mmCIF file of all heavy atoms in Angstrom:
data_model
loop_
_atom_site.group_PDB
_atom_site.id
_atom_site.type_symbol
_atom_site.label_atom_id
_atom_site.label_comp_id
_atom_site.label_asym_id
_atom_site.label_seq_id
_atom_site.Cartn_x
_atom_site.Cartn_y
_atom_site.Cartn_z
ATOM 1 N N ASN A 6 114.123 160.011 175.291
ATOM 2 C CA ASN A 6 114.409 158.780 174.560
ATOM 3 C C ASN A 6 114.867 159.232 173.174
ATOM 4 O O ASN A 6 114.068 159.679 172.351
ATOM 5 C CB ASN A 6 113.157 157.910 174.475
ATOM 6 C CG ASN A 6 113.390 156.634 173.709
ATOM 7 O OD1 ASN A 6 114.204 156.577 172.790
ATOM 8 N ND2 ASN A 6 112.650 155.602 174.080
ATOM 9 N N TYR A 15 113.186 163.007 162.188
ATOM 10 C CA TYR A 15 113.591 162.668 160.816
ATOM 11 C C TYR A 15 112.534 161.854 160.074
ATOM 12 O O TYR A 15 112.740 161.483 158.922
ATOM 13 C CB TYR A 15 114.927 161.926 160.814
ATOM 14 C CG TYR A 15 116.080 162.784 161.278
ATOM 15 C CD1 TYR A 15 116.744 162.510 162.462
ATOM 16 C CD2 TYR A 15 116.515 163.880 160.541
ATOM 17 C CE1 TYR A 15 117.805 163.280 162.898
ATOM 18 C CE2 TYR A 15 117.574 164.661 160.957
ATOM 19 C CZ TYR A 15 118.217 164.355 162.137
ATOM 20 O OH TYR A 15 119.275 165.128 162.568
ATOM 21 N N ASN A 20 112.083 150.819 163.369
ATOM 22 C CA ASN A 20 113.128 149.845 163.042
ATOM 23 C C ASN A 20 114.377 150.497 162.441
ATOM 24 O O ASN A 20 115.360 149.831 162.202
ATOM 25 C CB ASN A 20 112.594 148.737 162.119
ATOM 26 C CG ASN A 20 112.228 149.238 160.742
ATOM 27 O OD1 ASN A 20 112.239 150.431 160.458
ATOM 28 N ND2 ASN A 20 111.880 148.309 159.878
ATOM 29 N N THR A 25 123.422 152.115 165.567
ATOM 30 C CA THR A 25 124.300 152.064 164.399
ATOM 31 C C THR A 25 123.616 152.592 163.143
ATOM 32 O O THR A 25 124.252 153.246 162.318
ATOM 33 C CB THR A 25 124.812 150.631 164.160
ATOM 34 O OG1 THR A 25 123.693 149.743 164.089
ATOM 35 C CG2 THR A 25 125.750 150.185 165.271
ATOM 36 N N MET A 33 127.834 159.237 160.034
ATOM 37 C CA MET A 33 128.835 159.074 161.090
ATOM 38 C C MET A 33 129.188 157.604 161.263
ATOM 39 O O MET A 33 128.379 156.732 160.976
ATOM 40 C CB MET A 33 128.279 159.587 162.430
ATOM 41 C CG MET A 33 127.883 161.022 162.449
ATOM 42 S SD MET A 33 127.205 161.398 164.097
ATOM 43 C CE MET A 33 126.454 162.974 163.786
ATOM 44 N N GLY A 42 128.899 150.814 177.546
ATOM 45 C CA GLY A 42 128.022 151.878 178.036
ATOM 46 C C GLY A 42 128.582 153.263 177.775
ATOM 47 O O GLY A 42 127.870 154.165 177.331
ATOM 48 N N SER A 46 127.064 155.902 175.045
ATOM 49 C CA SER A 46 126.640 157.229 175.515
ATOM 50 C C SER A 46 127.276 158.341 174.691
ATOM 51 O O SER A 46 126.609 159.324 174.332
ATOM 52 C CB SER A 46 127.010 157.414 176.986
ATOM 53 O OG SER A 46 126.332 156.488 177.776
ATOM 54 N N ALA A 50 125.303 160.998 172.343
ATOM 55 C CA ALA A 50 125.515 162.445 172.468
ATOM 56 C C ALA A 50 125.831 163.067 171.116
ATOM 57 O O ALA A 50 125.345 164.161 170.795
ATOM 58 C CB ALA A 50 126.637 162.727 173.465
ATOM 59 N N GLY A 60 118.129 171.521 163.911
ATOM 60 C CA GLY A 60 116.939 172.284 164.295
ATOM 61 C C GLY A 60 115.967 171.570 165.212
ATOM 62 O O GLY A 60 114.884 172.080 165.487
ATOM 63 N N CYS A 61 116.327 170.398 165.705
ATOM 64 C CA CYS A 61 115.451 169.657 166.606
ATOM 65 C C CYS A 61 115.440 170.319 167.987
ATOM 66 O O CYS A 61 116.477 170.756 168.469
ATOM 67 C CB CYS A 61 115.942 168.221 166.732
ATOM 68 S SG CYS A 61 114.938 167.199 167.820
ATOM 69 N N ARG A 64 113.196 167.355 173.779
ATOM 70 C CA ARG A 64 112.313 167.532 174.923
ATOM 71 C C ARG A 64 112.140 166.213 175.659
ATOM 72 O O ARG A 64 112.247 165.150 175.054
ATOM 73 C CB ARG A 64 110.931 167.989 174.448
ATOM 74 C CG ARG A 64 110.965 169.208 173.569
ATOM 75 C CD ARG A 64 109.621 169.478 173.009
ATOM 76 N NE ARG A 64 108.946 170.383 173.929
ATOM 77 C CZ ARG A 64 107.847 171.038 173.655
ATOM 78 N NH1 ARG A 64 107.258 170.866 172.509
ATOM 79 N NH2 ARG A 64 107.307 171.840 174.522
ATOM 80 N N GLU A 67 109.648 160.814 177.817
ATOM 81 C CA GLU A 67 109.248 159.658 178.604
ATOM 82 C C GLU A 67 109.451 159.969 180.081
ATOM 83 O O GLU A 67 110.313 160.774 180.438
ATOM 84 C CB GLU A 67 110.069 158.408 178.236
ATOM 85 C CG GLU A 67 109.724 157.850 176.895
ATOM 86 C CD GLU A 67 110.437 156.547 176.583
ATOM 87 O OE1 GLU A 67 111.367 156.149 177.302
ATOM 88 O OE2 GLU A 67 110.037 155.929 175.583
ATOM 89 N N HIS A 70 105.932 157.021 186.231
ATOM 90 C CA HIS A 70 104.887 157.481 187.143
ATOM 91 C C HIS A 70 104.248 156.260 187.775
ATOM 92 O O HIS A 70 103.677 155.434 187.065
ATOM 93 C CB HIS A 70 103.848 158.326 186.402
ATOM 94 C CG HIS A 70 102.777 158.857 187.301
ATOM 95 N ND1 HIS A 70 103.015 159.859 188.196
ATOM 96 C CD2 HIS A 70 101.478 158.513 187.434
ATOM 97 C CE1 HIS A 70 101.891 160.113 188.860
ATOM 98 N NE2 HIS A 70 100.942 159.302 188.415
ATOM 99 N N VAL A 77 105.447 161.212 177.274
ATOM 100 C CA VAL A 77 105.107 162.609 177.535
ATOM 101 C C VAL A 77 104.724 163.234 176.210
ATOM 102 O O VAL A 77 105.441 163.105 175.212
ATOM 103 C CB VAL A 77 106.300 163.361 178.167
ATOM 104 C CG1 VAL A 77 105.990 164.838 178.337
ATOM 105 C CG2 VAL A 77 106.677 162.723 179.499
ATOM 106 N N ALA A 88 116.976 179.509 179.423
ATOM 107 C CA ALA A 88 118.099 179.717 178.507
ATOM 108 C C ALA A 88 119.201 180.508 179.211
ATOM 109 O O ALA A 88 118.920 181.404 180.003
ATOM 110 C CB ALA A 88 117.624 180.476 177.270
ATOM 111 N N MET A 91 123.764 186.060 178.937
ATOM 112 C CA MET A 91 125.124 186.583 178.843
ATOM 113 C C MET A 91 125.460 187.238 180.169
ATOM 114 O O MET A 91 124.629 187.932 180.751
ATOM 115 C CB MET A 91 125.239 187.611 177.711
ATOM 116 C CG MET A 91 125.104 187.003 176.335
ATOM 117 S SD MET A 91 126.402 185.824 175.935
ATOM 118 C CE MET A 91 127.810 186.887 175.880
ATOM 119 N N PRO A 92 126.691 187.037 180.684
ATOM 120 C CA PRO A 92 127.040 187.680 181.965
ATOM 121 C C PRO A 92 127.067 189.187 181.812
ATOM 122 O O PRO A 92 127.394 189.725 180.746
ATOM 123 C CB PRO A 92 128.437 187.124 182.270
ATOM 124 C CG PRO A 92 128.938 186.521 181.012
ATOM 125 C CD PRO A 92 127.756 186.240 180.131
#
Side-chain angles (χ1 to χ4, degrees):
N6 179 329
Y15 294 113
N20 67 353
T25 54
M33 300 178 193
S46 297
C61 180
R64 306 173 91 167
E67 289 185 349
H70 182 72
V77 175
M91 291 297 294

